[in-house]
Amino acid sequence: MIELSGAEKSHPGGVRALRGVDLLVNAGELVAIVGPSGSGKSTMLHLIGTLDRPSAGTVRIAGHDAGTLPDRELSALRARHIGFVFQRFHLAAGVSALDNVADGMLYGGTPRRERRERAADALGRVGLGHRLAHRPHELSGGECQRVAVARAVAGGPSLLLADEPTGNLDSSSGQGVLAILRELNASGTTVAIITHDEEVAAAAPRRVRLRDGVIVADERSPGVTREGSTA
């Protein structure tokens, strides 16, 4: 699902945010990409999410070389295969939970009626089937993050990228969101959680540790194979 080979990203001024990173994440894995501020986590997220291109090396997502695709095809790749969950929710104020989720499929060309049906189903999956008409200011922080998760998965992506998904939540709400991500992974979605939080990382069966733009450790919990399944 994710294949980085010698991936590098440099910024003006000679700053090398990623330095020759090799990483393979198979379909169906749940992996945490862990590191302190400045380690290269956000840069890796942008490359894996096809929001940016590598300066060198290759980035393949679902078999597609993201470094060579034109922008239009990259947008289509994101729409078909990748869902994003961000720390700050990015929900539209004054818009219902249902429409926040449905509008996330707007650029995929899905008809309005189908968008709303899929949005209602996704909200039901995250336990918010009774909150369809509620607006962000009427929801708790944990509920807003669940809306964001529903928006990310409503289009049926094969890869879900969660960037510090519990960063703005209390511990109880955060555990609830992690439980939903584990359930989505159990249903077949590949999930990558980008985090600096060791407790969040510990919830993943695989942890890839970054520091100064390089992978310094690739850890698997006992019983987890390199294919990501439980032995």
Side-chain angles (χ1 to χ4, degrees):
M1 180 59 65
I2 301 169
E3 184 178 359
L4 275 60
S5 180
E8 299 199 7
K9 185 63 184 180
S10 298
H11 298 295
V15 177
R16 296 176 68 197
L18 282 185
R19 310 180 183 198
V21 168
D22 296 323
L23 176 66
L24 179 65
V25 177
N26 291 302
E29 282 199 74
L30 169 58
V31 58
I33 298 171
V34 197
S37 178
S39 62
K41 301 190 308 298
S42 294
T43 300
M44 183 177 284
L45 169 71
H46 289 159
L47 293 185
I48 293 173
T50 73
L51 301 172
D52 204 352
R53 299 176 188 269
S55 303
T58 59
V59 175
R60 291 185 179 276
I61 305 299
H64 300 273
D65 187 341
T68 62
L69 292 178
D71 289 343
R72 183 172 181 176
E73 291 185 33
L74 276 182
S75 296
L77 175 64
R78 284 192 294 272
R80 289 195 305 268
H81 290 288
I82 306 174
F84 295 91
V85 179
F86 297 103
Q87 178 178 351
R88 298 189 181 277
F89 316 147
H90 297 298
L91 301 181
V95 176
S96 70
L98 181 68
D99 287 326
N100 260 291
V101 175
D103 289 349
M105 294 177 277
L106 184 62
Y107 299 106
T110 307
R112 183 174 184 272
R113 180 176 178 179
E114 183 180 346
R115 290 201 311 270
R116 289 174 65 84
E117 289 174 350
R118 291 168 70 172
D121 179 67
L123 286 164
R125 290 177 67 189
V126 301
L128 290 177
H130 61 302
R131 297 287 214 198
L132 302 185
H134 286 65
R135 294 170 173 78
H137 72 275
E138 299 171 316
L139 301 170
S140 68
E143 288 172 331
C144 284
Q145 189 60 296
R146 282 191 275 162
V147 174
V149 172
R151 181 180 57 195
V153 302
S158 49
L159 172 61
L160 181 66
L161 300 177
D163 185 16
E164 301 285 5
T166 65
N168 284 337
L169 305 178
D170 59 59
S171 58
S172 177
S173 297
Q175 287 301 315
V177 168
L178 290 177
I180 291 169
L181 295 179
R182 287 193 293 268
E183 289 170 9
L184 291 169
N185 173 249
S187 70
T189 305
T190 306
V191 178
I193 302 172
I194 291 80
T195 185
H196 71 279
D197 189 321
E198 287 294 337
E199 290 189 17
V200 172
R206 181 183 177 191
R207 295 159 298 282
V208 174
R209 298 188 180 277
L210 278 177
R211 187 173 293 274
D212 298 327
V214 298
I215 293 176
V216 296
D218 190 343
E219 307 162 349
R220 287 175 171 80
S221 299
V224 177
T225 69
R226 288 194 174 274
E227 287 72 33
S229 60
T230 302

